Amino acid sequence: MDPHHAKAAAGAGGLSLRERKKRQTRQRISDVATGLFAARGFDKVTVAEVAEAAEVSTMTVFNHFARKEDLFLDRIPEALDLFTRAVRERRPGESPAAPVRRLVLELADARHPLGGLGDTFPAFWRVVLDSPALRARVREAVEEMEDALTAAVAESTGAAPGDPRPRLTAALVVTAYRTVCGTAVARLLAGERADDVAPGHREFTGTTFDALEEALRVLGGPDRAGPA
């Protein structure tokens, strides 16, 4: 879907040949689909057309992607993995916000698509904004992220069943992430360059997560402490 896939592929050296081929096929399908969606619009391209252009069967497409929207929003699994691992593996004594702050800044500095900063990203977001189906899938992904982080917070803090604080913590963390990245994307869509947006993005990320840390301090309870 973007130049960063080369980096991801480089990190897959420990995979079996079969798994590498599966990933390569998945990536090829997504890249072909992204090109078609960008050229014609998401809603005007069928899965059959994607399959034909990628030289695979429609069944193969659905073996790799549960739904058409995931052909374009193919980084949802990666996002879930990155953010939940950050929360589960945070340093002792840290709140769940601290590792997410670091992750967001690292992603932005690397111009990773999940970091919100990149000169090629406006084209991607215009396709999303033009498609009701993609916008709905983004909203679903936000819910999936909140569910996954709720489980990560509850597991890593030993919260009692029924304790509402892991859910509230997860919702606040996801809202902070969406807000800082959404603000950066809005500036990119308005025509600013990523390098010009970056300083303000870092500052706003810091301010936002400082406020989140204070909110979690007031919230208190087991969600405040990191893993033992």
Side-chain angles (χ1 to χ4, degrees), residues 116-156:
L117 277 183
D119 290 325
T120 62
F121 298 172
F124 170 87
W125 284 109
R126 288 190 185 98
V127 175
V128 174
L129 293 172
D130 287 342
S131 170
L134 286 175
R135 294 200 306 272
R137 181 66 183 105
V138 169
R139 289 192 293 271
E140 285 186 4
V142 169
E143 294 179 359
E144 291 171 14
M145 177 73 80
E146 288 188 6
D147 288 344
L149 287 182
T150 297
V153 171
E155 175 187 316
S156 63

Side-chain angles (χ1 to χ4, degrees), residues 7 22 35 40 70 97 100 115 128 130 133 173 177 189 207 214 218:
K7 184 186 294 184
K22 284 177 61 177
R40 294 166 49 194
D70 291 346
V100 174
V128 174
D130 287 342
V173 169
Y177 168 61
L189 286 168
T207 301
E214 178 62 17
V218 173

Side-chain angles (χ1 to χ4, degrees), residues 95-96 153 163-173 211-225:
S95 81
V153 171
D163 187 338
R165 287 172 293 186
R167 171 68 62 182
L168 179 55
T169 298
L172 290 171
V173 169
L212 178 54
E213 290 279 10
E214 178 62 17
L216 295 181
R217 185 192 66 77
V218 173
L219 180 64
D223 299 339
R224 184 65 183 90

Side-chain angles (χ1 to χ4, degrees), residues 45-66:
V45 177
T46 67
V47 173
E49 288 174 315
V50 171
E52 181 178 2
E55 299 182 334
V56 298
S57 68
T58 301
M59 181 178 294
T60 297
V61 173
F62 283 118
N63 283 341
H64 290 277
F65 300 92

